[in-house]
């Protein structure tokens, strides 16, 4: 598995090394160029200084080089070389150490000095300069005598004659200096890369410490520690949302596990009663099978338990399909007041609905574009819940309200002495019922859970309220586009 720390460290160090190497190469090239220019300038200055010692008078040439004043051209460790020619190549003078050998001759370079690298006669690497100049005329204080070293050949105009002077010297000192510069730059680069590596290592360790802290805290999380949370004080801006997201996921998982455990416990509790009734009926029927009236009552009890169990299982299947999104939503123009009346008739057909009355104050002209079957189930469950928790002889009041934002709201209100304000936080939980004994009656505690799931599927908002005088209201808020 790739490490972010390793990736960043390698990239930063390699990138820094590449930048330093490139910078050092450029610096080395600049220093080399400057040193060569300085070396060439010194070499050219010496050549021009020596050129001033070449005197001309008419056709006579005198080269006034005194060996005792210029030992560099004599035998020694750093011997230099010079050579003087006419532009046609005729040799006028050369240093004694050259013997019969010649320095390079470039007759076509007459305007500017020419510099070249060469191998000196003694085998050392050297640098060579060639300049072309007219000789200086001898003054009256120094006349050139006959028999001097050189005489300008016939056919050459002495007034326009040009001379070529070449000087060569060893560049070993220059090369040694450049090698020291190169070595110094390389050593500095290595040192800087090492310092950068140490700095990057420490910086990454500190900068990525929050990730290490998060990993360490996440590693402690598990099914038995879902109540723990990731705490990262002073989190960097890049990961400030990470612990928040992890904690929200953990909260959702913890709530899901709690619901799952409660759901499993509730299902087992709800099924325990009808299973016990089945067992008791079977034992009674087997023991007193000769009593027809008793057997008939046992079978009636079995039928009632089977109906209750079937109702609960159907509710669970409905919730499962809604949770998985496997329910198809239709759309039909539906008269709401008529749908409430037909749902009330179904509620009143049961024993629970007796003794209550419905006040349907919904506008009969109100129509909604919705799924009538699923809306009918929502209304049926709300009405059934209302009559279950309202005292006998009371009324269930249904009203419709059009809000200023265009949304339609249906309200189902009833008096109740069984609910408290804190119960509103639990009434949509599965298997939750106000009665603590959970006797396994016709209400299994799934009605309002199904209401919430169906409302979510239809895009309806469900809101509950309990007033101080014990009036419970469940409101269905429809989206604007649903009203017709």
């Amino acid at each position: 598995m790739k490490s972010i720390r390793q990736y960043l460290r390698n990239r930063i160090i390699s990138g820094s090394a590449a930048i330093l190497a490139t910078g050092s190469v450029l610096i080395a090239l600049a220093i080399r160029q400057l040193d060569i220019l300085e070396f060439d300038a010194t070499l050219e200055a010496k050549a021009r200084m020596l050129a001033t010692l070449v005197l001309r008078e008419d056709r006579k040439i005198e080269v006034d080089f005194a060996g005792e004043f210029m030992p560099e051209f004599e035998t020694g460790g750093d011997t230099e070389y010079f050579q003087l020619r006419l532009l046609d190549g005729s040799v006028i003078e050369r240093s004694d150490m050259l013997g019969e050998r010649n320095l390079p001759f470039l007759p076509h370079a007459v305007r500017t000095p020419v510099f070249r690298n060469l191998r000196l006669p003694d085998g050392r690497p050297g640098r060579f300069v060639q300049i072309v100049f007219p000789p200086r005329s001898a003054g009256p204080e120094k006349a050139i005598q006959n028999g001097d070293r050189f005489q300008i050949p016939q056919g050459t105009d002495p007034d326009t004659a040009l001379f070529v002077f070449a000087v060569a010297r060893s560049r070993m000192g220059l090369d040694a200096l450049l090698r020291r510069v190169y070595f110094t730059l390389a050593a500095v680069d290595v040192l800087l890369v090492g310092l950068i590596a140490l700095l990057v290592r420490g910086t990454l360790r500190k900068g990525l410490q929050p990730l290490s802290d998060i990993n360490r805290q996440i590693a402690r999380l598990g099914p038995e520690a879902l109540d723990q949370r990731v705490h990262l004080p002073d989190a960097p801006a890049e990961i400030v949302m990470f612990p928040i997201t992890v904690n929200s996921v953990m909260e959702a998982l913890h709530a899901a596990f709690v619901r799952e455990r409660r759901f499993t416990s509730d299902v087992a509790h709800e099924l325990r009663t009808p299973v016990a009734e089945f067992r008791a009926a079977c034992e009674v029927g087997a023991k007193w099978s000769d009593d027809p009236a008793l057997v008939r009552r046992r079978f009636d009890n079995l039928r009632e338990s089977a109906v209750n169990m079937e109702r609960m299982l159907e509710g669970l299947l409905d919730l499962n399909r809604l949770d998985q999104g496997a329910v198809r939503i239709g759309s039909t123009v539906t008269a709401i007041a008529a749908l409430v009346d037909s749902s009330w008739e179904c509620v009143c057909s049961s024993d629970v609905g007796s003794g209550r009355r419905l006040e349907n104050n919904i506008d009969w002209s109100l129509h909604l574009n919705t799924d009538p079957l699923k809306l009918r189930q929502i209304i049926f469950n709300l009405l059934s819940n209302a009559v279950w928790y309202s005292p006998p002889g009371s009324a269930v009041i249904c009203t419709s309200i059009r809000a200023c934002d265009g949304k339609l709201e249906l309200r189902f209100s009833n008096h109740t002495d069984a609910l408290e304000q804190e119960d509103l936080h639990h009434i949509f939980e599965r298997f939750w019922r106000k009665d603590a004994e959970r006797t396994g009656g016709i209400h299994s505690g799934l009605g309002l859970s199904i209401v919430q799931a169906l409302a979510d599927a239809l895009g309806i908002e469900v809101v509950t309220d309990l007033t101080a005088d014990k009036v419970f209201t469940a409101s269905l808020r429809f989206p604007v586009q649903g009203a017709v």
Side-chain angles (χ1 to χ4, degrees):
M1 181 182 295
K2 291 185 178 180
S3 168
I4 295 179
R5 177 178 294 145
Q6 199 172 36
Y7 173 82
L8 292 176
R9 184 176 63 244
N10 293 341
R11 284 301 183 94
I12 293 174
I13 294 176
S14 60
S16 301
I19 293 173
L20 288 174
T22 303
S24 297
V25 168
L26 294 177
I27 293 173
L29 291 176
I31 293 176
R32 179 180 181 275
Q33 186 66 23
L34 291 174
D35 286 346
I36 290 176
L37 288 176
E38 184 179 358
F39 187 89
D40 289 346
T42 303
L43 193 61
E44 181 185 359
K46 189 164 191 176
R48 293 194 180 279
M49 184 272 294
L50 293 175
T52 61
L53 301 178
V54 180
L55 303 178
R56 178 184 62 82
E57 182 181 2
D58 294 332
R59 307 191 73 83
K60 299 175 184 179
I61 298 297
E62 180 184 25
V63 181
D64 192 12
F65 293 167
E68 63 271 17
F69 299 115
M70 291 182 289
E72 65 269 21
F73 295 111
E74 302 297 331
T75 303
D78 292 326
T79 303
E80 299 180 5
Y81 305 88
F82 73 87
Q83 190 168 15
L84 179 64
R85 291 185 178 93
L86 280 175
L87 194 58
D88 62 2
S90 302
V91 177
I92 299 176
E93 184 72 15
R94 62 164 62 92
S95 59
D96 294 338
M97 295 304 296
L98 273 176
E100 296 299 324
R101 292 166 293 191
N102 295 309
L103 294 176
F105 177 55
L106 307 171
H108 301 292
V110 297
R111 294 186 177 181
T112 58
V114 179
F115 300 91
R116 292 285 188 275
N117 290 325
L118 79 164
R119 182 66 61 178
L120 297 176
D122 58 5
R124 295 176 299 160
R127 188 79 172 162
F128 155 84
V129 63
Q130 173 183 291
I131 62 173
V132 177
F133 66 97
R136 184 167 58 90
S137 297
E141 69 280 359
K142 181 177 175 91
I144 297 177
Q145 304 296 323
N146 291 331
D148 280 320
R149 295 187 180 182
F150 190 80
Q151 188 158 343
I152 298 175
Q154 295 293 330
T156 301
D157 185 357
D159 294 329
T160 60
L162 295 177
F163 292 77
V164 178
F165 197 86
V167 177
R169 65 183 295 187
S170 172
R171 57 171 295 162
M172 294 179 63
L174 174 63
D175 292 340
L177 174 62
L178 292 177
R179 283 194 296 271
R180 287 195 297 272
V181 170
Y182 299 156
F183 176 79
T184 302
L185 289 175
V188 170
D189 285 350
V190 173
L191 178 61
L192 289 178
V193 169
L195 293 176
I196 290 173
L198 293 176
L199 178 62
V200 168
R201 181 179 180 182
T203 302
L204 290 180
R205 183 190 299 115
K206 184 176 181 180
L208 298 178
Q209 186 62 40
L211 291 180
S212 301
D213 295 340
I214 289 177
N215 291 335
R216 185 169 57 254
Q217 294 183 49
I218 290 178
R220 294 198 297 263
L221 301 178
E224 302 303 324
L226 292 177
D227 57 336
Q228 296 186 12
R229 297 294 178 264
V230 175
H231 300 285
L232 193 65
D234 300 328
E238 291 78 6
I239 60 172
V240 67
M241 290 302 299
F242 190 78
I244 297 175
T245 303
V246 171
N247 289 337
S248 64
V249 172
M250 293 302 299
E251 290 174 2
L253 286 176
H254 184 240
F257 269 79
V258 170
R259 288 195 302 269
E260 188 71 21
R261 293 191 185 102
R262 186 169 62 243
F263 176 79
T264 303
S265 175
D266 290 343
V267 169
H269 195 287
E270 294 293 337
L271 291 178
R272 182 179 180 180
T273 298
V275 169
E277 291 176 352
F278 268 87
R279 179 180 179 181
C282 292
E283 291 176 352
V284 169
K287 189 173 183 179
W288 290 287
S289 59
D290 55 347
D291 187 344
L294 180 61
V295 171
R296 185 178 300 108
R297 287 196 303 271
R298 291 294 92 191
F299 272 105
D300 289 338
N301 292 336
L302 286 175
R303 177 179 176 277
E304 183 179 355
S305 297
V307 169
N308 292 336
M309 188 182 299
E310 182 181 13
R311 183 183 296 110
M312 183 183 64
L313 293 177
E314 287 179 353
L316 290 174
L317 290 174
D318 289 340
L319 286 173
N320 183 61
R321 285 192 294 267
L322 289 169
D323 290 341
Q324 295 181 358
V327 177
R328 300 180 63 180
I329 305 299
S331 182
T332 304
V333 177
T334 305
I336 301 303
L339 189 63
V340 171
D341 278 348
S342 62
S343 300
W344 179 255
E345 291 177 1
C346 294
V347 172
C348 290
S349 63
S350 63
D351 294 337
V352 178
S354 60
R356 282 85 171 175
R357 69 183 187 277
L358 173 68
E359 293 184 9
N360 189 353
N361 298 326
I362 298 176
D363 186 358
W364 283 83
S365 63
L366 177 62
H367 291 72
L368 290 176
N369 193 5
T370 186
D371 189 318
L373 296 179
K374 294 176 178 54
L375 183 58
R376 177 188 180 90
Q377 187 173 0
I378 291 175
I379 295 175
F380 173 84
N381 287 356
L382 290 177
L383 294 176
S384 177
N385 183 78
V387 299
W388 179 261
Y389 286 105
S390 60
S394 62
V396 178
I397 303 173
C398 301
T399 56
S400 60
I401 298 175
R402 178 80 66 172
C404 57
D405 58 357
K407 291 185 178 181
L408 175 68
E409 183 174 320
L410 297 182
R411 294 180 178 178
F412 300 84
S413 303
N414 62 279
H415 283 273
T416 179
D417 295 327
L419 295 177
E420 302 295 337
Q421 193 68 37
E422 57 270 15
D423 296 333
L424 299 183
H425 301 291
H426 305 285
I427 59 174
F428 291 108
E429 295 178 2
R430 298 176 185 185
F431 291 111
W432 184 88
R433 289 181 300 183
K434 181 63 177 178
D435 55 315
E437 295 180 356
R438 294 184 175 271
T439 57
I442 64 173
H443 274 257
S444 60
L446 295 175
L448 291 184
S449 300
I450 295 175
V451 167
Q452 183 66 70
L454 287 173
D456 291 340
L458 296 177
I460 303 172
E461 182 184 2
V462 183
V463 181
T464 57
D465 180 59
L466 182 65
T467 63
D469 54 350
K470 297 295 184 178
V471 175
F472 173 78
T473 302
S475 302
L476 301 179
R477 298 177 180 176
F478 293 84
V480 177
Q481 60 270 21
V484 178

